[in-house]
Amino acid sequence: MTGSVLGLSIASHSGLPPASIGALAAAAERAGFAAVAVAEGHGDALALCHPVAAATRRVRIGTAVANAALRPPVLTAKTAAQLDQAAGGRFTLGLGVGNPVMNGRFGIQPFPPLAMIEEYVAVIRAVLAGEAGGHAGRVYRTGMVPLDSPPVRRDLPIYLGALGPRMLGLAGRIADGVILNLMSPAQAGQAAGAVRAAAAAAGRDPASVEVVCVVHCCLAGDAGAAAARDVVPRYVLHPAVAPLFGPQDAGGDLPAVRERLLAGDRAGATARVPQPVADAFVAHGDAETCRSRLAEYRAAGVDLPVLFPMPVGGDWGYEAAIAAFGTDEEATPSVKNS
């Protein structure tokens, strides 16, 4: 995809009720957004896609991303098939593997993420295809799984969330798309190149693997820089982000950010975030500044930037983002989201 095509991500951890999430999705569709995704925090992203499907008619919908470790793959396949049916063939399943810190809190034992997610995808495809033999692997073994009604699409698209080189390579080899996150435009361009190279090496058309990048956004004028720093503590405990944050960590303050966060001092953690770390992957400022940043991601090789509004002063800013970045000037979202 090229041009001004843009997606919107709505966070489950915004605390919005399902009806409000559906209303925001409808407003984004009216405003000309091409896709609406649900980001999974401590809610259920797949469940929250139902009101999005019910409230929209044309826009692509999906998860960016859902934690695969929380759900058996057969259940995910069944849920995805029903969501695609509800959406009339507009659903995309975006999957991630979570991280050991969060998964441990959920009672999930550590697992090899690449082997797990590769077979997880294979199980879903076997269920949707109605394969009589099911899936016989080292991680998962299933028989034939019947569905109550035929899926709208047996080849329902499956995207993988990827940060590191091995997961990027796997996405290029087996997925219909990749979902990047926490990356500067330059990093996203390098990741896109790695995905396409892996696709080509696997005998696939590199252009067949869509490159999506979640772009955090603080639409807040002069207050945007501080709001952008407040995004970093949301992710700094994730062990996989160090290589992404590392190049900007010239001041060596990220260990202090982690320390303050673990001590329960969120404000102190934010205060220790080096501004260049936040500036690298958070678009902030006025609408024109953020629009220019989105153009950098497209120029770097991202097919679909997905705008992920972040709270500024407690307001997630979905209405403002839809109004500022939509292509239909007559769309006027009026959903209370604070």
Side-chain angles (χ1 to χ4, degrees), residues 78-129:
K78 291 184 175 185
T79 304
Q82 291 181 331
L83 280 167
D84 203 39
Q85 186 177 58
R90 294 181 289 123
F91 179 71
T92 295
L93 178 62
L95 295 171
V97 293
N99 68 78
V101 173
M102 189 60 67
N103 287 342
R105 294 175 185 172
F106 298 152
I108 299 169
Q109 296 299 312
F111 57 87
L114 265 73
M116 175 271 205
I117 200 66
E118 183 169 9
E119 287 201 23
Y120 196 101
V121 171
V123 171
I124 292 171
R125 287 179 170 155
V127 172
L128 295 177

Short mmCIF file of all heavy atoms in Angstrom, two decimals, residues 78-129:
data_model
loop_
_atom_site.label_atom_id
_atom_site.label_comp_id
_atom_site.label_asym_id
_atom_site.label_seq_id
_atom_site.Cartn_x
_atom_site.Cartn_y
_atom_site.Cartn_z
N LYS A 78 -10.80 -20.69 15.79
CA LYS A 78 -12.26 -20.60 15.82
C LYS A 78 -12.73 -19.15 15.98
O LYS A 78 -13.65 -18.69 15.29
CB LYS A 78 -12.81 -21.45 16.96
CG LYS A 78 -12.67 -22.96 16.76
CD LYS A 78 -13.33 -23.71 17.91
CE LYS A 78 -13.31 -25.21 17.69
NZ LYS A 78 -14.05 -25.93 18.74
N THR A 79 -12.08 -18.42 16.88
CA THR A 79 -12.45 -17.03 17.11
C THR A 79 -12.19 -16.18 15.88
O THR A 79 -13.02 -15.35 15.49
CB THR A 79 -11.67 -16.46 18.31
OG1 THR A 79 -11.89 -17.28 19.46
CG2 THR A 79 -12.12 -15.05 18.62
N ALA A 80 -11.04 -16.40 15.25
CA ALA A 80 -10.71 -15.63 14.05
C ALA A 80 -11.71 -15.90 12.93
O ALA A 80 -12.13 -14.98 12.21
CB ALA A 80 -9.29 -15.97 13.59
N ALA A 81 -12.11 -17.15 12.78
CA ALA A 81 -13.09 -17.49 11.74
C ALA A 81 -14.42 -16.79 12.00
O ALA A 81 -15.06 -16.27 11.06
CB ALA A 81 -13.29 -19.00 11.69
N GLN A 82 -14.84 -16.74 13.27
CA GLN A 82 -16.10 -16.07 13.58
C GLN A 82 -16.00 -14.56 13.40
O GLN A 82 -16.95 -13.92 12.92
CB GLN A 82 -16.51 -16.41 15.01
CG GLN A 82 -16.93 -17.87 15.16
CD GLN A 82 -17.35 -18.20 16.58
OE1 GLN A 82 -16.88 -17.60 17.54
NE2 GLN A 82 -18.23 -19.18 16.72
N LEU A 83 -14.85 -13.98 13.75
CA LEU A 83 -14.68 -12.54 13.54
C LEU A 83 -14.67 -12.20 12.05
O LEU A 83 -15.23 -11.19 11.64
CB LEU A 83 -13.37 -12.08 14.20
CG LEU A 83 -13.45 -11.86 15.71
CD1 LEU A 83 -12.05 -11.73 16.30
CD2 LEU A 83 -14.27 -10.61 16.02
N ASP A 84 -14.02 -13.04 11.25
CA ASP A 84 -14.00 -12.78 9.81
C ASP A 84 -15.40 -12.90 9.22
O ASP A 84 -15.77 -12.15 8.31
CB ASP A 84 -13.04 -13.76 9.13
CG ASP A 84 -12.52 -13.23 7.80
OD1 ASP A 84 -12.24 -12.02 7.71
OD2 ASP A 84 -12.39 -14.03 6.86
N GLN A 85 -16.18 -13.83 9.75
CA GLN A 85 -17.57 -13.95 9.31
C GLN A 85 -18.37 -12.71 9.71
O GLN A 85 -19.12 -12.15 8.90
CB GLN A 85 -18.19 -15.21 9.91
CG GLN A 85 -19.60 -15.51 9.41
CD GLN A 85 -20.12 -16.81 9.99
OE1 GLN A 85 -20.21 -16.97 11.20
NE2 GLN A 85 -20.44 -17.76 9.11
N ALA A 86 -18.19 -12.26 10.95
CA ALA A 86 -18.91 -11.08 11.42
C ALA A 86 -18.53 -9.83 10.63
O ALA A 86 -19.36 -8.94 10.42
CB ALA A 86 -18.62 -10.85 12.91
N ALA A 87 -17.27 -9.77 10.18
CA ALA A 87 -16.79 -8.60 9.46
C ALA A 87 -16.93 -8.73 7.95
O ALA A 87 -16.52 -7.83 7.22
CB ALA A 87 -15.31 -8.36 9.80
N GLY A 88 -17.48 -9.83 7.47
CA GLY A 88 -17.64 -10.01 6.04
C GLY A 88 -16.32 -10.12 5.30
O GLY A 88 -16.16 -9.59 4.20
N GLY A 89 -15.34 -10.82 5.92
CA GLY A 89 -14.07 -11.03 5.26
C GLY A 89 -13.10 -9.86 5.38
O GLY A 89 -12.24 -9.68 4.52
N ARG A 90 -13.19 -9.12 6.49
CA ARG A 90 -12.31 -7.96 6.67
C ARG A 90 -11.33 -8.12 7.83
O ARG A 90 -10.60 -7.19 8.17
CB ARG A 90 -13.15 -6.69 6.93
CG ARG A 90 -14.00 -6.27 5.75
CD ARG A 90 -14.79 -4.99 6.06
NE ARG A 90 -15.86 -5.21 7.03
CZ ARG A 90 -15.99 -4.57 8.19
NH1 ARG A 90 -15.10 -3.66 8.55
NH2 ARG A 90 -17.00 -4.82 9.00
N PHE A 91 -11.29 -9.29 8.45
CA PHE A 91 -10.49 -9.46 9.67
C PHE A 91 -9.08 -9.96 9.36
O PHE A 91 -8.89 -10.85 8.53
CB PHE A 91 -11.18 -10.44 10.61
CG PHE A 91 -10.42 -10.69 11.89
CD1 PHE A 91 -10.34 -9.71 12.86
CD2 PHE A 91 -9.76 -11.89 12.10
CE1 PHE A 91 -9.62 -9.92 14.04
CE2 PHE A 91 -9.05 -12.11 13.27
CZ PHE A 91 -8.98 -11.12 14.24
N THR A 92 -8.11 -9.38 10.05
CA THR A 92 -6.72 -9.82 10.00
C THR A 92 -6.27 -10.18 11.40
O THR A 92 -6.46 -9.40 12.34
CB THR A 92 -5.81 -8.72 9.44
OG1 THR A 92 -6.16 -8.46 8.08
CG2 THR A 92 -4.34 -9.13 9.50
N LEU A 93 -5.69 -11.35 11.56
CA LEU A 93 -5.24 -11.82 12.86
C LEU A 93 -3.78 -11.44 13.07
O LEU A 93 -2.89 -12.00 12.42
CB LEU A 93 -5.41 -13.34 12.96
CG LEU A 93 -4.95 -14.02 14.25
CD1 LEU A 93 -5.74 -13.50 15.44
CD2 LEU A 93 -5.06 -15.53 14.12
N GLY A 94 -3.54 -10.50 13.96
CA GLY A 94 -2.18 -10.10 14.30
C GLY A 94 -1.78 -10.74 15.62
O GLY A 94 -2.45 -10.57 16.64
N LEU A 95 -0.69 -11.50 15.60
CA LEU A 95 -0.28 -12.28 16.76
C LEU A 95 1.11 -11.89 17.24
O LEU A 95 2.01 -11.60 16.44
CB LEU A 95 -0.25 -13.78 16.41
CG LEU A 95 -1.57 -14.44 16.06
CD1 LEU A 95 -1.33 -15.84 15.54
CD2 LEU A 95 -2.50 -14.47 17.28
N GLY A 96 1.28 -11.91 18.57
CA GLY A 96 2.58 -11.76 19.18
C GLY A 96 2.78 -12.85 20.22
O GLY A 96 1.87 -13.66 20.46
N VAL A 97 3.93 -12.88 20.84
CA VAL A 97 4.22 -13.92 21.83
C VAL A 97 4.34 -13.35 23.24
O VAL A 97 4.70 -14.05 24.17
CB VAL A 97 5.51 -14.69 21.47
CG1 VAL A 97 5.30 -15.49 20.21
CG2 VAL A 97 6.70 -13.74 21.34
N GLY A 98 4.00 -12.06 23.41
CA GLY A 98 4.13 -11.47 24.73
C GLY A 98 5.59 -11.35 25.13
O GLY A 98 6.49 -11.30 24.28
N ASN A 99 5.83 -11.31 26.41
CA ASN A 99 7.21 -11.29 26.90
C ASN A 99 7.26 -12.06 28.21
O ASN A 99 6.24 -12.23 28.89
CB ASN A 99 7.71 -9.85 27.06
CG ASN A 99 7.00 -9.11 28.18
OD1 ASN A 99 7.30 -9.30 29.36
ND2 ASN A 99 6.05 -8.25 27.81
N PRO A 100 8.43 -12.57 28.59
CA PRO A 100 8.52 -13.43 29.77
C PRO A 100 8.03 -12.77 31.06
O PRO A 100 7.46 -13.45 31.92
CB PRO A 100 10.01 -13.77 29.84
CG PRO A 100 10.51 -13.64 28.44
CD PRO A 100 9.71 -12.50 27.85
N VAL A 101 8.25 -11.46 31.19
CA VAL A 101 7.82 -10.78 32.41
C VAL A 101 6.31 -10.82 32.54
O VAL A 101 5.75 -11.24 33.56
CB VAL A 101 8.34 -9.32 32.43
CG1 VAL A 101 7.76 -8.57 33.62
CG2 VAL A 101 9.87 -9.29 32.47
N MET A 102 5.63 -10.38 31.50
CA MET A 102 4.16 -10.35 31.54
C MET A 102 3.57 -11.75 31.53
O MET A 102 2.64 -12.06 32.28
CB MET A 102 3.63 -9.54 30.36
CG MET A 102 2.12 -9.26 30.45
SD MET A 102 1.68 -8.33 31.93
CE MET A 102 2.46 -6.75 31.57
N ASN A 103 4.10 -12.63 30.69
CA ASN A 103 3.57 -13.99 30.64
C ASN A 103 3.73 -14.70 31.98
O ASN A 103 2.87 -15.49 32.38
CB ASN A 103 4.26 -14.79 29.53
CG ASN A 103 3.82 -14.37 28.14
OD1 ASN A 103 2.77 -13.73 27.99
ND2 ASN A 103 4.59 -14.72 27.13
N GLY A 104 4.83 -14.41 32.67
CA GLY A 104 5.02 -15.01 33.99
C GLY A 104 3.94 -14.58 34.97
O GLY A 104 3.48 -15.38 35.80
N ARG A 105 3.50 -13.33 34.87
CA ARG A 105 2.41 -12.86 35.72
C ARG A 105 1.10 -13.58 35.42
O ARG A 105 0.23 -13.70 36.27
CB ARG A 105 2.21 -11.35 35.53
CG ARG A 105 3.38 -10.51 36.03
CD ARG A 105 3.16 -9.06 35.71
NE ARG A 105 4.32 -8.24 36.08
CZ ARG A 105 4.46 -6.96 35.76
NH1 ARG A 105 3.52 -6.35 35.04
NH2 ARG A 105 5.53 -6.29 36.12
N PHE A 106 0.97 -14.04 34.19
CA PHE A 106 -0.24 -14.75 33.78
C PHE A 106 -0.16 -16.24 34.08
O PHE A 106 -1.07 -17.00 33.73
CB PHE A 106 -0.49 -14.56 32.28
CG PHE A 106 -0.72 -13.14 31.87
CD1 PHE A 106 -0.39 -12.71 30.60
CD2 PHE A 106 -1.28 -12.22 32.74
CE1 PHE A 106 -0.61 -11.40 30.20
CE2 PHE A 106 -1.49 -10.90 32.36
CZ PHE A 106 -1.15 -10.48 31.08
N GLY A 107 0.95 -16.69 34.67
CA GLY A 107 1.10 -18.10 34.98
C GLY A 107 1.56 -18.94 33.81
O GLY A 107 1.43 -20.16 33.84
N ILE A 108 2.12 -18.28 32.78
CA ILE A 108 2.58 -19.00 31.59
C ILE A 108 4.07 -19.28 31.74
O ILE A 108 4.87 -18.36 31.95
CB ILE A 108 2.32 -18.17 30.32
CG1 ILE A 108 0.81 -17.92 30.16
CG2 ILE A 108 2.88 -18.86 29.09
CD1 ILE A 108 0.48 -16.89 29.10
N GLN A 109 4.45 -20.53 31.62
CA GLN A 109 5.85 -20.92 31.74
C GLN A 109 6.63 -20.46 30.51
O GLN A 109 6.08 -20.36 29.41
CB GLN A 109 5.96 -22.44 31.89
CG GLN A 109 5.33 -22.98 33.16
CD GLN A 109 5.96 -22.41 34.42
OE1 GLN A 109 7.19 -22.39 34.54
NE2 GLN A 109 5.13 -21.94 35.34
N PRO A 110 7.93 -20.19 30.66
CA PRO A 110 8.74 -19.79 29.51
C PRO A 110 8.70 -20.84 28.39
O PRO A 110 8.58 -22.04 28.65
CB PRO A 110 10.15 -19.67 30.10
CG PRO A 110 9.93 -19.43 31.56
CD PRO A 110 8.71 -20.20 31.92
N PHE A 111 8.77 -20.37 27.17
CA PHE A 111 8.73 -21.27 26.01
C PHE A 111 9.59 -20.69 24.90
O PHE A 111 9.86 -19.48 24.87
CB PHE A 111 7.28 -21.43 25.52
CG PHE A 111 6.61 -20.12 25.17
CD1 PHE A 111 6.73 -19.55 23.90
CD2 PHE A 111 5.84 -19.43 26.12
CE1 PHE A 111 6.13 -18.35 23.59
CE2 PHE A 111 5.24 -18.22 25.82
CZ PHE A 111 5.38 -17.68 24.55
N PRO A 112 10.06 -21.52 23.96
CA PRO A 112 10.82 -21.02 22.80
C PRO A 112 9.88 -20.29 21.86
O PRO A 112 9.02 -20.92 21.22
CB PRO A 112 11.39 -22.29 22.15
CG PRO A 112 11.20 -23.37 23.17
CD PRO A 112 10.03 -23.00 23.99
N PRO A 113 9.95 -18.98 21.75
CA PRO A 113 8.92 -18.23 21.03
C PRO A 113 8.84 -18.53 19.54
O PRO A 113 7.74 -18.61 18.99
CB PRO A 113 9.30 -16.77 21.28
CG PRO A 113 10.74 -16.80 21.69
CD PRO A 113 10.96 -18.09 22.37
N LEU A 114 9.97 -18.72 18.87
CA LEU A 114 9.90 -18.94 17.42
C LEU A 114 9.25 -20.27 17.09
O LEU A 114 8.38 -20.34 16.20
CB LEU A 114 11.30 -18.87 16.81
CG LEU A 114 11.68 -17.50 16.25
CD1 LEU A 114 11.95 -16.52 17.38
CD2 LEU A 114 12.89 -17.60 15.34
N ALA A 115 9.67 -21.35 17.77
CA ALA A 115 9.07 -22.66 17.50
C ALA A 115 7.59 -22.65 17.82
O ALA A 115 6.77 -23.22 17.09
CB ALA A 115 9.80 -23.73 18.31
N MET A 116 7.24 -21.99 18.92
CA MET A 116 5.84 -21.95 19.33
C MET A 116 4.98 -21.23 18.29
O MET A 116 3.97 -21.75 17.83
CB MET A 116 5.72 -21.27 20.70
CG MET A 116 4.29 -21.06 21.17
SD MET A 116 3.58 -19.48 20.61
CE MET A 116 2.35 -19.20 21.84
N ILE A 117 5.38 -20.02 17.89
CA ILE A 117 4.51 -19.23 17.02
C ILE A 117 4.47 -19.81 15.61
O ILE A 117 3.45 -19.71 14.92
CB ILE A 117 4.93 -17.74 17.02
CG1 ILE A 117 3.78 -16.86 16.53
CG2 ILE A 117 6.18 -17.52 16.21
CD1 ILE A 117 2.58 -16.83 17.43
N GLU A 118 5.56 -20.44 15.16
CA GLU A 118 5.53 -21.05 13.83
C GLU A 118 4.50 -22.17 13.78
O GLU A 118 3.70 -22.27 12.83
CB GLU A 118 6.91 -21.57 13.45
CG GLU A 118 6.96 -22.16 12.04
CD GLU A 118 8.36 -22.43 11.56
OE1 GLU A 118 9.32 -22.33 12.36
OE2 GLU A 118 8.52 -22.75 10.36
N GLU A 119 4.49 -23.03 14.79
CA GLU A 119 3.50 -24.10 14.80
C GLU A 119 2.10 -23.57 15.10
O GLU A 119 1.10 -24.11 14.61
CB GLU A 119 3.90 -25.18 15.82
CG GLU A 119 5.06 -26.02 15.35
CD GLU A 119 5.12 -27.35 16.07
OE1 GLU A 119 4.09 -27.82 16.59
OE2 GLU A 119 6.21 -27.94 16.12
N TYR A 120 2.02 -22.54 15.90
CA TYR A 120 0.74 -21.92 16.22
C TYR A 120 0.04 -21.47 14.93
O TYR A 120 -1.15 -21.73 14.72
CB TYR A 120 1.00 -20.72 17.14
CG TYR A 120 -0.19 -20.16 17.87
CD1 TYR A 120 -0.39 -20.47 19.22
CD2 TYR A 120 -1.06 -19.28 17.27
CE1 TYR A 120 -1.44 -19.93 19.93
CE2 TYR A 120 -2.12 -18.73 17.97
CZ TYR A 120 -2.31 -19.05 19.30
OH TYR A 120 -3.36 -18.51 20.00
N VAL A 121 0.80 -20.80 14.07
CA VAL A 121 0.26 -20.36 12.79
C VAL A 121 -0.15 -21.56 11.94
O VAL A 121 -1.21 -21.57 11.29
CB VAL A 121 1.28 -19.47 12.05
CG1 VAL A 121 0.82 -19.20 10.61
CG2 VAL A 121 1.49 -18.16 12.80
N ALA A 122 0.66 -22.61 11.96
CA ALA A 122 0.35 -23.81 11.18
C ALA A 122 -0.95 -24.45 11.66
O ALA A 122 -1.76 -24.94 10.85
CB ALA A 122 1.50 -24.80 11.27
N VAL A 123 -1.17 -24.49 12.97
CA VAL A 123 -2.42 -25.05 13.50
C VAL A 123 -3.61 -24.24 13.04
O VAL A 123 -4.63 -24.80 12.59
CB VAL A 123 -2.37 -25.11 15.04
CG1 VAL A 123 -3.75 -25.49 15.60
CG2 VAL A 123 -1.33 -26.11 15.52
N ILE A 124 -3.52 -22.93 13.12
CA ILE A 124 -4.64 -22.08 12.69
C ILE A 124 -4.96 -22.33 11.23
O ILE A 124 -6.12 -22.48 10.84
CB ILE A 124 -4.29 -20.60 12.93
CG1 ILE A 124 -4.23 -20.30 14.43
CG2 ILE A 124 -5.33 -19.69 12.26
CD1 ILE A 124 -3.70 -18.92 14.75
N ARG A 125 -3.93 -22.40 10.40
CA ARG A 125 -4.18 -22.62 8.97
C ARG A 125 -4.76 -24.00 8.71
O ARG A 125 -5.60 -24.17 7.83
CB ARG A 125 -2.87 -22.40 8.20
CG ARG A 125 -2.51 -20.91 8.15
CD ARG A 125 -1.23 -20.64 7.41
NE ARG A 125 -1.06 -19.21 7.17
CZ ARG A 125 0.10 -18.60 7.00
NH1 ARG A 125 1.23 -19.33 7.03
NH2 ARG A 125 0.16 -17.30 6.80
N ALA A 126 -4.34 -25.00 9.49
CA ALA A 126 -4.90 -26.34 9.33
C ALA A 126 -6.38 -26.35 9.70
O ALA A 126 -7.20 -26.99 9.02
CB ALA A 126 -4.12 -27.34 10.19
N VAL A 127 -6.74 -25.65 10.78
CA VAL A 127 -8.15 -25.59 11.19
C VAL A 127 -8.98 -24.89 10.13
O VAL A 127 -10.06 -25.38 9.73
CB VAL A 127 -8.28 -24.88 12.54
CG1 VAL A 127 -9.75 -24.64 12.88
CG2 VAL A 127 -7.60 -25.68 13.66
N LEU A 128 -8.52 -23.74 9.65
CA LEU A 128 -9.29 -22.99 8.66
C LEU A 128 -9.41 -23.74 7.34
O LEU A 128 -10.42 -23.63 6.64
CB LEU A 128 -8.64 -21.62 8.42
CG LEU A 128 -8.63 -20.66 9.62
CD1 LEU A 128 -7.89 -19.38 9.28
CD2 LEU A 128 -10.06 -20.35 10.07
N ALA A 129 -8.38 -24.51 7.01
CA ALA A 129 -8.41 -25.27 5.76
C ALA A 129 -9.20 -26.57 5.89
O ALA A 129 -9.46 -27.24 4.89
CB ALA A 129 -6.99 -25.58 5.30
#
